[in-house]
Amino acid sequence: MAQARYKQVVDRFAAEITGGRLPPGTRLPTHRQLAADEGLALVTASRVYAELATMGLVSGETGRGTFVKETAVPRGQGVDQHAVAADMLDLNFNYPSLPGQAELLRNALRQLAAAGDLEALLRYQPHGGRPHERASVARHLARRGLTVPGEQVMLVDGAQHGLATTVMALLQPGDVVAVDALTYPGFKLLAEAHRLELVAVPAGTDGPDPDALAALCRRRRVKALYAMPTMHNPLGWVMSASRRRALVAVARRHGLLVIEDAAYAFLVEQAPPPLAALAPETTVYVSGFSKSVATGLRVGCVAAPPQWVGAIERAIRATTWNTPGVMTAITCGWIDDGTVDRLEAGKRRDARARQQLAAQVLGALRRVSHPASYFVWLPLAEEVRADQVAAALMRERVSVSTAEPFATSARVPHAIRLALGSVDFDTLREALETVAAVIAERTY
């Protein structure tokens, strides 16, 4: 009977929320008040709210209470790729492109058609890539401060696939992975799929706190650290050299596997050495060419210590056998002839120009960003709810992400992330002006 009563309360709240009788932003009774109102045990009242949260209808905020969520914002916004209407201004996903890239591909395909080894590209490739292509990528990584032999570089289907094969090869269900309190949503999805436990590490202005990481390692059996030291997504920090050394010292002391995500590292010139250069024996370095060249070019790389290369190659075989030969040949050809370097330089200029535009249009709003990044983080005022801002922007045909997909701690901040790299400048200005106006309407 108690179970039936509990379900009735859940169903009634769900109907009132989806039917609009409890509008978004409504503060619901405290757990104790709900228990008293409904004649439930306190633990059962908490279970009511937990089930409503699982349904995506409410959110609990430490120190503030439980609120009705804005259901007009798709669940997983910022993680799951939703179809974007033709008239929607997409500030949710980054797929930066420069003029002339289509012609580059056209020419590359012509050159490939005339090459002598075209037939070889139609056959299976070695799981980690052909030796000369691995060597090309190794030379590319050297320009980022990571010197590693081609034998330790494996080619994968983009950085996400690189993270997936690393997790599959080196971690087990139940392993504890230390992450930033706000981190890349794609890694959260991998953790969920592989049943990893993510534990948030507090951060300063340029990365996770080494002392907090050390304290966590003393409390828990932490297996790995996932970090984005160069151009963090979504906060845009570039970790200082001293903080990198401190993190590496903690990782060595506690035997941590370090997974270094360098997907956006190309945007930073003269960055401090990668974690993989400071601790090559315990760090797996993952990057790709989706952001630096083109998102449709699904080629990435994993650089790993020798003892883990075989396991990661087996994970590549299990998931995709090998990177498609045609895409890999085009990418490595562009590395060797300097095209990748030129595109990366062009995108650094493009990102800086977009950040300058964002600063001009959003000048009155608090912003967290890097001057060369393709995203802006906008913390909202205490009285402003991120899901309502995102829903209002969707009605204005602007798509953004809230903090929820990035959060790994119990407290999800009210903030939105703007991806700047997917629309032309005039459209970007229009979208940013809409963002500023919508937030201003809700700030008092």
Side-chain angles (χ1 to χ4, degrees), residues 10-318:
V10 171
D11 291 345
R12 190 179 77 246
F13 270 103
E16 290 178 350
I17 293 170
T18 57
R21 292 185 293 280
L22 285 174
T26 300
R27 187 195 300 266
L28 298 179
T30 66
H31 292 221
R32 193 172 300 279
Q33 185 62 51
L34 177 65
D37 291 347
E38 301 292 341
L40 302 173
L42 181 59
V43 67
T44 306
S46 298
R47 189 177 176 189
V48 169
Y49 282 160
E51 185 157 328
L52 290 169
T54 300
M55 297 165 66
L57 298 177
V58 305
S59 63
E61 301 174 18
T62 303
R64 297 187 65 198
T66 302
F67 294 83
V68 175
K69 290 184 67 174
E70 175 58 78
T71 56
V73 178
R75 295 189 67 187
Q77 185 84 337
V79 179
D80 301 321
Q81 183 81 51
H82 296 280
V84 176
D87 61 344
M88 182 74 75
L89 307 185
D90 188 2
L91 303 189
N92 196 0
F93 292 95
N94 266 320
Y95 30 96
S97 180
L98 297 177
Q101 286 194 205
E103 189 61 29
L104 282 174
L105 178 59
R106 192 172 289 111
N107 291 336
L109 291 171
R110 290 194 190 103
Q111 293 169 12
L112 204 60
D117 68 345
L118 185 62
E119 188 173 342
L121 302 181
L122 301 178
R123 299 194 293 267
Y124 285 129
Q125 311 294 304
H127 305 310
R130 296 187 294 177
H132 71 282
E133 292 168 337
R134 295 167 80 159
S136 290
V137 175
R139 290 192 293 272
H140 175 72
L141 294 180
R143 293 194 281 276
R144 293 192 187 174
L146 179 60
T147 301
V148 61
E151 293 81 7
Q152 291 175 226
V153 176
M154 290 149 285
L155 305 184
V156 289
D157 292 336
Q160 181 69 21
H161 183 230
L163 293 173
T165 53
T166 300
V167 166
M168 179 182 292
L170 305 179
L171 296 175
Q172 298 293 327
D175 281 346
V176 175
V177 181
V179 296
D180 301 317
L182 293 167
T183 196
Y184 168 52
F187 192 77
K188 287 179 59 180
L189 287 177
L190 286 174
E192 180 182 351
H194 291 275
R195 298 185 176 89
L196 306 177
E197 181 184 354
L198 300 186
V199 180
V201 177
T205 57
D206 74 336
D209 182 346
D211 292 336
L213 175 62
L216 172 63
C217 291
R218 289 192 294 269
R219 295 195 311 271
R220 302 288 306 276
R221 181 177 290 181
V222 180
K223 177 70 174 181
L225 167 68
Y226 169 73
M228 293 172 280
T230 306
M231 197 60 81
H232 180 272
N233 178 18
L235 298 177
W237 69 52
V238 177
M239 201 182 295
S240 66
S242 60
R243 180 156 299 205
R244 294 176 194 230
R245 289 192 295 269
L247 281 177
V248 162
V250 174
R252 282 179 165 146
R253 187 159 63 247
H254 293 277
L256 303 184
L257 159 68
V258 179
I259 302 173
E260 180 172 8
D261 186 338
Y264 282 101
F266 75 96
L267 290 170
V268 182
E269 293 185 280
Q270 300 180 335
L275 301 178
L278 299 175
E281 79 286 357
T282 192
T283 305
V284 176
Y285 181 97
V286 180
S287 190
F289 298 92
S290 294
K291 300 297 188 290
S292 63
V293 180
T295 52
L297 196 71
R298 301 307 303 161
V299 178
C301 61
V302 177
Q307 70 270 21
W308 294 332
V309 168
I312 295 173
E313 285 188 338
R314 286 191 293 276
I316 295 170
R317 177 183 178 181

Side-chain angles (χ1 to χ4, degrees), residues 41 49 99 147 210 297 348 350 352 392 416 433:
Y49 282 160
T147 301
L297 196 71
R348 283 191 290 271
D350 181 61
R352 285 185 176 276
I416 61 173
E433 289 172 347

